[in-house]
Amino acid sequence: MTGYPSERLYEEVAYLSYYFHWPHAQVMAMEHRDRQRWVAEIARINERLNAQAARSG
C-alpha cells in the first residue's frame, strides 16, 4: 500500500490555507476527499474569474 504523496499534501494544505485562511491544523484534520473537493472548488472559482477577466479585456 502506498501513501499519499507528501508533496501533493503540502500543495493542498498551502492552497486551502492561502485562499480560505484556514489554519494548518484545521486543513490537516480534514478527510482527504473533503480536502481534495475544496481544492477543486477553489480551482473552479479561479478558472471562472480568469475567464471573466479575459473576456472583459
Side-chain angles (χ1 to χ4, degrees):
M1 181 174 181
T2 60
Y4 194 66
S6 61
E7 286 302 316
R8 182 67 184 152
L9 178 61
Y10 279 109
E11 288 175 358
E12 290 176 4
V13 171
Y15 196 71
L16 293 175
S17 296
Y18 177 79
Y19 280 100
F20 285 157
H21 306 281
W22 289 344
H24 176 265
Q26 182 179 356
V27 176
M28 290 300 291
M30 297 173 76
E31 292 290 329
H32 177 67
R33 185 178 308 165
D34 291 337
R35 195 171 44 245
Q36 285 187 314
R37 175 66 190 265
W38 283 113
V39 166
E41 291 299 327
I42 293 169
R44 196 175 353 266
I45 290 168
N46 282 333
E47 288 170 3
R48 188 172 60 238
L49 292 174
N50 288 337
Q52 289 172 349
R55 283 194 300 271
S56 63

Short mmCIF file of all heavy atoms in Angstrom, two decimals:
data_model
loop_
_atom_site.label_atom_id
_atom_site.label_comp_id
_atom_site.label_asym_id
_atom_site.label_seq_id
_atom_site.Cartn_x
_atom_site.Cartn_y
_atom_site.Cartn_z
N MET A 1 0.84 -1.17 0.00
CA MET A 1 0.00 0.00 0.00
C MET A 1 0.89 1.24 0.00
O MET A 1 1.85 1.33 0.74
CB MET A 1 -0.90 -0.02 1.23
CG MET A 1 -1.82 1.15 1.30
SD MET A 1 -2.94 0.89 2.72
CE MET A 1 -3.89 2.33 2.57
N THR A 2 0.57 2.19 -0.85
CA THR A 2 1.36 3.41 -0.92
C THR A 2 0.57 4.55 -0.29
O THR A 2 -0.65 4.58 -0.33
CB THR A 2 1.68 3.77 -2.38
OG1 THR A 2 0.47 3.96 -3.10
CG2 THR A 2 2.51 2.68 -3.03
N GLY A 3 1.29 5.48 0.28
CA GLY A 3 0.66 6.64 0.90
C GLY A 3 0.45 7.76 -0.09
O GLY A 3 0.89 7.68 -1.25
N TYR A 4 -0.23 8.74 0.35
CA TYR A 4 -0.46 9.91 -0.48
C TYR A 4 0.83 10.69 -0.58
O TYR A 4 1.51 10.90 0.42
CB TYR A 4 -1.57 10.76 0.16
CG TYR A 4 -2.15 11.79 -0.74
CD1 TYR A 4 -2.88 11.44 -1.86
CD2 TYR A 4 -1.99 13.13 -0.46
CE1 TYR A 4 -3.42 12.39 -2.69
CE2 TYR A 4 -2.54 14.10 -1.27
CZ TYR A 4 -3.25 13.73 -2.38
OH TYR A 4 -3.79 14.67 -3.20
N PRO A 5 1.21 11.13 -1.77
CA PRO A 5 2.50 11.84 -1.92
C PRO A 5 2.55 13.09 -1.05
O PRO A 5 1.64 13.91 -1.07
CB PRO A 5 2.53 12.20 -3.40
CG PRO A 5 1.49 11.37 -4.06
CD PRO A 5 0.50 11.00 -3.02
N SER A 6 3.61 13.20 -0.28
CA SER A 6 3.70 14.32 0.67
C SER A 6 3.75 15.67 -0.05
O SER A 6 3.22 16.66 0.46
CB SER A 6 4.91 14.15 1.59
OG SER A 6 6.10 14.14 0.84
N GLU A 7 4.37 15.72 -1.22
CA GLU A 7 4.41 16.99 -1.96
C GLU A 7 3.00 17.44 -2.33
O GLU A 7 2.68 18.64 -2.27
CB GLU A 7 5.27 16.87 -3.22
CG GLU A 7 6.75 16.82 -2.94
CD GLU A 7 7.25 18.06 -2.18
OE1 GLU A 7 6.85 19.18 -2.55
OE2 GLU A 7 8.00 17.88 -1.22
N ARG A 8 2.18 16.52 -2.73
CA ARG A 8 0.80 16.85 -3.08
C ARG A 8 0.02 17.31 -1.85
O ARG A 8 -0.76 18.26 -1.91
CB ARG A 8 0.11 15.64 -3.73
CG ARG A 8 -1.29 15.88 -4.16
CD ARG A 8 -1.35 16.88 -5.30
NE ARG A 8 -2.76 17.12 -5.58
CZ ARG A 8 -3.23 18.24 -6.08
NH1 ARG A 8 -2.42 19.22 -6.37
NH2 ARG A 8 -4.50 18.38 -6.29
N LEU A 9 0.27 16.66 -0.73
CA LEU A 9 -0.39 17.06 0.53
C LEU A 9 0.01 18.49 0.89
O LEU A 9 -0.85 19.31 1.24
CB LEU A 9 -0.03 16.09 1.64
CG LEU A 9 -0.61 16.41 3.02
CD1 LEU A 9 -2.13 16.41 2.97
CD2 LEU A 9 -0.10 15.41 4.04
N TYR A 10 1.29 18.81 0.79
CA TYR A 10 1.75 20.17 1.09
C TYR A 10 1.07 21.18 0.16
O TYR A 10 0.68 22.27 0.58
CB TYR A 10 3.27 20.29 0.94
CG TYR A 10 4.03 19.79 2.14
CD1 TYR A 10 4.75 18.62 2.09
CD2 TYR A 10 4.05 20.52 3.33
CE1 TYR A 10 5.47 18.17 3.18
CE2 TYR A 10 4.75 20.09 4.43
CZ TYR A 10 5.46 18.91 4.35
OH TYR A 10 6.16 18.47 5.44
N GLU A 11 0.95 20.84 -1.10
CA GLU A 11 0.30 21.74 -2.06
C GLU A 11 -1.15 21.99 -1.68
O GLU A 11 -1.62 23.14 -1.71
CB GLU A 11 0.36 21.14 -3.48
CG GLU A 11 1.71 21.16 -4.10
CD GLU A 11 1.73 20.44 -5.44
OE1 GLU A 11 0.68 19.90 -5.87
OE2 GLU A 11 2.80 20.40 -6.05
N GLU A 12 -1.85 20.94 -1.34
CA GLU A 12 -3.26 21.09 -0.97
C GLU A 12 -3.43 21.94 0.29
O GLU A 12 -4.29 22.82 0.34
CB GLU A 12 -3.90 19.72 -0.77
CG GLU A 12 -4.08 18.94 -2.03
CD GLU A 12 -4.62 17.55 -1.79
OE1 GLU A 12 -4.94 17.20 -0.64
OE2 GLU A 12 -4.72 16.81 -2.77
N VAL A 13 -2.62 21.67 1.28
CA VAL A 13 -2.71 22.41 2.53
C VAL A 13 -2.38 23.88 2.29
O VAL A 13 -3.09 24.78 2.77
CB VAL A 13 -1.79 21.79 3.61
CG1 VAL A 13 -1.72 22.68 4.84
CG2 VAL A 13 -2.28 20.41 3.99
N ALA A 14 -1.33 24.14 1.55
CA ALA A 14 -0.94 25.52 1.26
C ALA A 14 -2.03 26.24 0.46
O ALA A 14 -2.36 27.40 0.73
CB ALA A 14 0.38 25.55 0.48
N TYR A 15 -2.59 25.56 -0.50
CA TYR A 15 -3.63 26.13 -1.35
C TYR A 15 -4.86 26.53 -0.53
O TYR A 15 -5.36 27.65 -0.62
CB TYR A 15 -4.00 25.09 -2.40
CG TYR A 15 -4.75 25.56 -3.60
CD1 TYR A 15 -4.15 26.34 -4.57
CD2 TYR A 15 -6.08 25.18 -3.79
CE1 TYR A 15 -4.84 26.75 -5.70
CE2 TYR A 15 -6.78 25.57 -4.92
CZ TYR A 15 -6.15 26.36 -5.87
OH TYR A 15 -6.85 26.74 -6.98
N LEU A 16 -5.35 25.62 0.29
CA LEU A 16 -6.53 25.90 1.11
C LEU A 16 -6.23 26.97 2.16
O LEU A 16 -7.05 27.86 2.40
CB LEU A 16 -7.03 24.63 1.79
CG LEU A 16 -7.61 23.58 0.85
CD1 LEU A 16 -7.95 22.32 1.62
CD2 LEU A 16 -8.83 24.12 0.13
N SER A 17 -5.09 26.89 2.77
CA SER A 17 -4.73 27.88 3.79
C SER A 17 -4.59 29.26 3.18
O SER A 17 -5.00 30.26 3.78
CB SER A 17 -3.42 27.48 4.47
OG SER A 17 -3.58 26.27 5.16
N TYR A 18 -4.04 29.32 1.98
CA TYR A 18 -3.86 30.60 1.30
C TYR A 18 -5.20 31.23 0.93
O TYR A 18 -5.46 32.40 1.20
CB TYR A 18 -3.01 30.40 0.04
CG TYR A 18 -2.82 31.67 -0.76
CD1 TYR A 18 -1.89 32.62 -0.37
CD2 TYR A 18 -3.57 31.89 -1.91
CE1 TYR A 18 -1.73 33.79 -1.10
CE2 TYR A 18 -3.41 33.05 -2.64
CZ TYR A 18 -2.49 33.99 -2.24
OH TYR A 18 -2.34 35.14 -2.96
N TYR A 19 -6.06 30.45 0.32
CA TYR A 19 -7.32 31.01 -0.18
C TYR A 19 -8.38 31.19 0.89
O TYR A 19 -9.16 32.14 0.85
CB TYR A 19 -7.87 30.16 -1.33
CG TYR A 19 -7.18 30.48 -2.63
CD1 TYR A 19 -6.17 29.67 -3.11
CD2 TYR A 19 -7.51 31.61 -3.37
CE1 TYR A 19 -5.51 29.98 -4.28
CE2 TYR A 19 -6.86 31.92 -4.54
CZ TYR A 19 -5.86 31.11 -5.00
OH TYR A 19 -5.20 31.42 -6.15
N PHE A 20 -8.47 30.28 1.81
CA PHE A 20 -9.51 30.36 2.83
C PHE A 20 -9.00 30.82 4.19
O PHE A 20 -9.78 31.00 5.10
CB PHE A 20 -10.20 29.00 2.99
CG PHE A 20 -11.14 28.66 1.88
CD1 PHE A 20 -11.46 27.33 1.63
CD2 PHE A 20 -11.72 29.63 1.09
CE1 PHE A 20 -12.35 27.00 0.62
CE2 PHE A 20 -12.60 29.30 0.07
CZ PHE A 20 -12.91 27.98 -0.16
N HIS A 21 -7.70 30.96 4.31
CA HIS A 21 -7.09 31.38 5.58
C HIS A 21 -7.43 30.40 6.70
O HIS A 21 -7.62 30.81 7.84
CB HIS A 21 -7.52 32.82 5.94
CG HIS A 21 -7.25 33.79 4.85
ND1 HIS A 21 -6.01 34.32 4.61
CD2 HIS A 21 -8.08 34.31 3.91
CE1 HIS A 21 -6.07 35.13 3.57
NE2 HIS A 21 -7.32 35.14 3.12
N TRP A 22 -7.55 29.15 6.34
CA TRP A 22 -7.80 28.12 7.35
C TRP A 22 -6.46 27.73 7.98
O TRP A 22 -5.45 27.59 7.27
CB TRP A 22 -8.42 26.89 6.71
CG TRP A 22 -9.83 27.09 6.26
CD1 TRP A 22 -10.68 28.09 6.62
CD2 TRP A 22 -10.56 26.26 5.37
NE1 TRP A 22 -11.88 27.93 6.00
CE2 TRP A 22 -11.85 26.81 5.23
CE3 TRP A 22 -10.26 25.10 4.69
CZ2 TRP A 22 -12.82 26.25 4.43
CZ3 TRP A 22 -11.23 24.53 3.89
CH2 TRP A 22 -12.50 25.09 3.77
N PRO A 23 -6.45 27.52 9.27
CA PRO A 23 -5.20 27.13 9.92
C PRO A 23 -4.76 25.72 9.50
O PRO A 23 -5.58 24.88 9.15
CB PRO A 23 -5.51 27.20 11.40
CG PRO A 23 -6.99 27.23 11.51
CD PRO A 23 -7.55 27.70 10.21
N HIS A 24 -3.46 25.53 9.57
CA HIS A 24 -2.85 24.26 9.17
C HIS A 24 -3.53 23.07 9.85
O HIS A 24 -3.88 22.08 9.19
CB HIS A 24 -1.36 24.31 9.51
CG HIS A 24 -0.64 23.04 9.24
ND1 HIS A 24 -0.44 22.09 10.22
CD2 HIS A 24 -0.10 22.54 8.11
CE1 HIS A 24 0.22 21.07 9.69
NE2 HIS A 24 0.44 21.33 8.42
N ALA A 25 -3.75 23.17 11.16
CA ALA A 25 -4.34 22.05 11.89
C ALA A 25 -5.75 21.72 11.38
O ALA A 25 -6.12 20.54 11.30
CB ALA A 25 -4.38 22.36 13.38
N GLN A 26 -6.50 22.73 11.02
CA GLN A 26 -7.86 22.51 10.52
C GLN A 26 -7.82 21.81 9.17
O GLN A 26 -8.58 20.88 8.93
CB GLN A 26 -8.59 23.84 10.39
CG GLN A 26 -10.02 23.70 9.93
CD GLN A 26 -10.73 25.05 9.85
OE1 GLN A 26 -10.18 26.07 10.21
NE2 GLN A 26 -11.95 25.03 9.37
N VAL A 27 -6.91 22.23 8.31
CA VAL A 27 -6.81 21.61 6.98
C VAL A 27 -6.32 20.17 7.10
O VAL A 27 -6.84 19.27 6.44
CB VAL A 27 -5.89 22.44 6.06
CG1 VAL A 27 -5.70 21.76 4.72
CG2 VAL A 27 -6.46 23.84 5.86
N MET A 28 -5.35 19.95 7.97
CA MET A 28 -4.82 18.60 8.15
C MET A 28 -5.85 17.66 8.79
O MET A 28 -5.79 16.45 8.59
CB MET A 28 -3.55 18.64 8.99
CG MET A 28 -2.37 19.27 8.30
SD MET A 28 -1.90 18.41 6.79
CE MET A 28 -1.28 16.88 7.45
N ALA A 29 -6.79 18.22 9.54
CA ALA A 29 -7.79 17.39 10.19
C ALA A 29 -8.89 16.94 9.23
O ALA A 29 -9.66 16.04 9.55
CB ALA A 29 -8.41 18.14 11.36
N MET A 30 -8.94 17.54 8.05
CA MET A 30 -9.97 17.20 7.08
C MET A 30 -9.73 15.82 6.49
O MET A 30 -8.59 15.37 6.37
CB MET A 30 -9.98 18.23 5.93
CG MET A 30 -10.31 19.63 6.36
SD MET A 30 -10.10 20.82 5.02
CE MET A 30 -11.58 20.46 4.09
N GLU A 31 -10.80 15.17 6.10
CA GLU A 31 -10.69 13.93 5.35
C GLU A 31 -10.06 14.25 3.99
O GLU A 31 -10.31 15.32 3.42
CB GLU A 31 -12.07 13.30 5.13
CG GLU A 31 -12.71 12.80 6.39
CD GLU A 31 -12.01 11.58 6.95
OE1 GLU A 31 -11.46 10.79 6.15
OE2 GLU A 31 -12.00 11.44 8.18
N HIS A 32 -9.29 13.33 3.50
CA HIS A 32 -8.60 13.54 2.23
C HIS A 32 -9.58 13.93 1.12
O HIS A 32 -9.34 14.87 0.37
CB HIS A 32 -7.83 12.28 1.85
CG HIS A 32 -7.13 12.36 0.55
ND1 HIS A 32 -6.07 13.20 0.32
CD2 HIS A 32 -7.38 11.73 -0.62
CE1 HIS A 32 -5.68 13.07 -0.93
NE2 HIS A 32 -6.46 12.19 -1.51
N ARG A 33 -10.66 13.23 1.05
CA ARG A 33 -11.66 13.50 -0.01
C ARG A 33 -12.23 14.92 0.13
O ARG A 33 -12.41 15.61 -0.88
CB ARG A 33 -12.78 12.48 0.07
CG ARG A 33 -13.78 12.61 -1.07
CD ARG A 33 -14.85 11.56 -1.01
NE ARG A 33 -14.23 10.23 -0.91
CZ ARG A 33 -14.87 9.14 -0.57
NH1 ARG A 33 -16.14 9.18 -0.30
NH2 ARG A 33 -14.26 7.99 -0.49
N ASP A 34 -12.48 15.36 1.35
CA ASP A 34 -13.00 16.73 1.56
C ASP A 34 -11.97 17.77 1.16
O ASP A 34 -12.30 18.78 0.53
CB ASP A 34 -13.39 16.93 3.02
CG ASP A 34 -14.59 16.13 3.43
OD1 ASP A 34 -15.40 15.75 2.54
OD2 ASP A 34 -14.74 15.85 4.62
N ARG A 35 -10.71 17.53 1.52
CA ARG A 35 -9.65 18.47 1.17
C ARG A 35 -9.53 18.58 -0.35
O ARG A 35 -9.43 19.68 -0.88
CB ARG A 35 -8.34 18.02 1.81
CG ARG A 35 -7.27 19.09 1.82
CD ARG A 35 -6.05 18.71 2.64
NE ARG A 35 -5.61 17.35 2.39
CZ ARG A 35 -5.63 16.38 3.30
NH1 ARG A 35 -6.03 16.62 4.52
NH2 ARG A 35 -5.22 15.16 3.01
N GLN A 36 -9.57 17.46 -1.02
CA GLN A 36 -9.49 17.49 -2.49
C GLN A 36 -10.69 18.21 -3.09
O GLN A 36 -10.56 18.92 -4.08
CB GLN A 36 -9.39 16.08 -3.04
CG GLN A 36 -8.05 15.44 -2.84
CD GLN A 36 -7.97 14.11 -3.54
OE1 GLN A 36 -8.88 13.30 -3.43
NE2 GLN A 36 -6.89 13.90 -4.27
N ARG A 37 -11.85 18.03 -2.50
CA ARG A 37 -13.05 18.69 -3.00
C ARG A 37 -12.93 20.20 -2.88
O ARG A 37 -13.27 20.95 -3.80
CB ARG A 37 -14.29 18.18 -2.25
CG ARG A 37 -15.58 18.87 -2.61
CD ARG A 37 -15.97 18.58 -4.06
NE ARG A 37 -17.07 19.41 -4.50
CZ ARG A 37 -18.35 19.05 -4.47
NH1 ARG A 37 -18.66 17.86 -4.04
NH2 ARG A 37 -19.28 19.86 -4.88
N TRP A 38 -12.44 20.67 -1.74
CA TRP A 38 -12.26 22.11 -1.57
C TRP A 38 -11.22 22.67 -2.53
O TRP A 38 -11.39 23.78 -3.08
CB TRP A 38 -11.90 22.44 -0.12
CG TRP A 38 -13.07 22.39 0.80
CD1 TRP A 38 -13.29 21.49 1.80
CD2 TRP A 38 -14.22 23.24 0.79
NE1 TRP A 38 -14.50 21.74 2.41
CE2 TRP A 38 -15.08 22.82 1.81
CE3 TRP A 38 -14.58 24.33 0.02
CZ2 TRP A 38 -16.30 23.45 2.07
CZ3 TRP A 38 -15.80 24.96 0.28
CH2 TRP A 38 -16.64 24.52 1.29
N VAL A 39 -10.16 21.95 -2.75
CA VAL A 39 -9.14 22.38 -3.73
C VAL A 39 -9.79 22.52 -5.10
O VAL A 39 -9.57 23.51 -5.81
CB VAL A 39 -7.96 21.39 -3.76
CG1 VAL A 39 -7.08 21.62 -4.98
CG2 VAL A 39 -7.14 21.50 -2.48
N ALA A 40 -10.60 21.54 -5.49
CA ALA A 40 -11.25 21.59 -6.80
C ALA A 40 -12.21 22.77 -6.89
O ALA A 40 -12.31 23.43 -7.94
CB ALA A 40 -11.99 20.28 -7.05
N GLU A 41 -12.92 23.06 -5.81
CA GLU A 41 -13.86 24.18 -5.82
C GLU A 41 -13.13 25.51 -5.98
O GLU A 41 -13.57 26.38 -6.73
CB GLU A 41 -14.71 24.19 -4.54
CG GLU A 41 -15.68 23.04 -4.45
CD GLU A 41 -16.70 23.02 -5.57
OE1 GLU A 41 -17.09 24.10 -6.05
OE2 GLU A 41 -17.10 21.93 -5.98
N ILE A 42 -12.04 25.68 -5.27
CA ILE A 42 -11.25 26.92 -5.41
C ILE A 42 -10.73 27.04 -6.83
O ILE A 42 -10.80 28.12 -7.44
CB ILE A 42 -10.09 26.96 -4.40
CG1 ILE A 42 -10.63 27.05 -2.98
CG2 ILE A 42 -9.16 28.13 -4.70
CD1 ILE A 42 -9.56 26.84 -1.91
N ALA A 43 -10.22 25.96 -7.37
CA ALA A 43 -9.71 25.99 -8.74
C ALA A 43 -10.80 26.37 -9.73
O ALA A 43 -10.57 27.17 -10.65
CB ALA A 43 -9.11 24.64 -9.11
N ARG A 44 -11.99 25.85 -9.52
CA ARG A 44 -13.12 26.15 -10.41
C ARG A 44 -13.48 27.65 -10.32
O ARG A 44 -13.73 28.30 -11.33
CB ARG A 44 -14.31 25.27 -10.03
CG ARG A 44 -15.38 25.21 -11.07
CD ARG A 44 -16.52 24.24 -10.78
NE ARG A 44 -16.39 23.37 -9.61
CZ ARG A 44 -15.90 22.13 -9.63
NH1 ARG A 44 -15.48 21.60 -10.75
NH2 ARG A 44 -15.84 21.41 -8.53
N ILE A 45 -13.47 28.19 -9.13
CA ILE A 45 -13.75 29.62 -8.95
C ILE A 45 -12.69 30.45 -9.66
O ILE A 45 -13.00 31.41 -10.37
CB ILE A 45 -13.80 29.97 -7.44
CG1 ILE A 45 -15.05 29.36 -6.81
CG2 ILE A 45 -13.77 31.48 -7.25
CD1 ILE A 45 -15.03 29.39 -5.28
N ASN A 46 -11.42 30.08 -9.48
CA ASN A 46 -10.34 30.82 -10.12
C ASN A 46 -10.44 30.75 -11.64
O ASN A 46 -10.22 31.76 -12.33
CB ASN A 46 -8.98 30.30 -9.66
CG ASN A 46 -8.62 30.82 -8.30
OD1 ASN A 46 -9.06 31.89 -7.90
ND2 ASN A 46 -7.81 30.07 -7.59
N GLU A 47 -10.79 29.60 -12.17
CA GLU A 47 -10.93 29.46 -13.63
C GLU A 47 -12.05 30.35 -14.14
O GLU A 47 -11.91 31.01 -15.17
CB GLU A 47 -11.20 28.01 -14.00
CG GLU A 47 -10.00 27.11 -13.83
CD GLU A 47 -10.34 25.63 -13.95
OE1 GLU A 47 -11.50 25.29 -14.22
OE2 GLU A 47 -9.41 24.82 -13.76
N ARG A 48 -13.16 30.38 -13.42
CA ARG A 48 -14.28 31.21 -13.83
C ARG A 48 -13.91 32.70 -13.78
O ARG A 48 -14.20 33.46 -14.71
CB ARG A 48 -15.50 30.93 -12.95
CG ARG A 48 -16.75 31.62 -13.44
CD ARG A 48 -17.99 31.20 -12.69
NE ARG A 48 -17.90 31.48 -11.26
CZ ARG A 48 -18.01 30.57 -10.29
NH1 ARG A 48 -18.25 29.33 -10.57
NH2 ARG A 48 -17.90 30.91 -9.03
N LEU A 49 -13.23 33.12 -12.71
CA LEU A 49 -12.82 34.52 -12.59
C LEU A 49 -11.82 34.89 -13.68
O LEU A 49 -11.89 36.00 -14.25
CB LEU A 49 -12.24 34.78 -11.20
CG LEU A 49 -13.23 34.71 -10.04
CD1 LEU A 49 -12.50 34.85 -8.72
CD2 LEU A 49 -14.31 35.76 -10.18
N ASN A 50 -10.90 34.00 -13.97
CA ASN A 50 -9.90 34.27 -15.02
C ASN A 50 -10.58 34.37 -16.38
O ASN A 50 -10.20 35.22 -17.20
CB ASN A 50 -8.83 33.20 -15.03
CG ASN A 50 -7.90 33.31 -13.84
OD1 ASN A 50 -7.77 34.37 -13.22
ND2 ASN A 50 -7.27 32.20 -13.49
N ALA A 51 -11.56 33.53 -16.64
CA ALA A 51 -12.27 33.58 -17.92
C ALA A 51 -13.06 34.88 -18.04
O ALA A 51 -13.07 35.51 -19.11
CB ALA A 51 -13.22 32.39 -18.04
N GLN A 52 -13.68 35.31 -16.95
CA GLN A 52 -14.42 36.58 -16.97
C GLN A 52 -13.46 37.74 -17.21
O GLN A 52 -13.78 38.66 -17.98
CB GLN A 52 -15.17 36.78 -15.65
CG GLN A 52 -16.34 35.86 -15.47
CD GLN A 52 -16.94 35.96 -14.09
OE1 GLN A 52 -16.38 36.57 -13.18
NE2 GLN A 52 -18.10 35.32 -13.91
N ALA A 53 -12.32 37.72 -16.58
CA ALA A 53 -11.34 38.78 -16.75
C ALA A 53 -10.82 38.81 -18.18
O ALA A 53 -10.63 39.89 -18.76
CB ALA A 53 -10.19 38.60 -15.77
N ALA A 54 -10.62 37.65 -18.77
CA ALA A 54 -10.12 37.58 -20.15
C ALA A 54 -11.17 38.13 -21.13
O ALA A 54 -10.81 38.79 -22.11
CB ALA A 54 -9.77 36.14 -20.51
N ARG A 55 -12.43 37.84 -20.87
CA ARG A 55 -13.50 38.33 -21.76
C ARG A 55 -13.66 39.85 -21.67
O ARG A 55 -13.99 40.50 -22.64
CB ARG A 55 -14.82 37.66 -21.42
CG ARG A 55 -14.94 36.24 -21.94
CD ARG A 55 -16.37 35.74 -21.87
NE ARG A 55 -16.89 35.74 -20.50
CZ ARG A 55 -16.79 34.72 -19.65
NH1 ARG A 55 -16.20 33.61 -20.02
NH2 ARG A 55 -17.27 34.80 -18.43
N SER A 56 -13.45 40.39 -20.47
CA SER A 56 -13.65 41.83 -20.29
C SER A 56 -12.42 42.64 -20.70
O SER A 56 -12.45 43.86 -20.69
CB SER A 56 -14.04 42.14 -18.85
OG SER A 56 -13.01 41.79 -17.96
N GLY A 57 -11.38 41.94 -21.05
CA GLY A 57 -10.22 42.58 -21.63
C GLY A 57 -9.25 43.07 -20.66
O GLY A 57 -8.47 43.84 -20.63
#
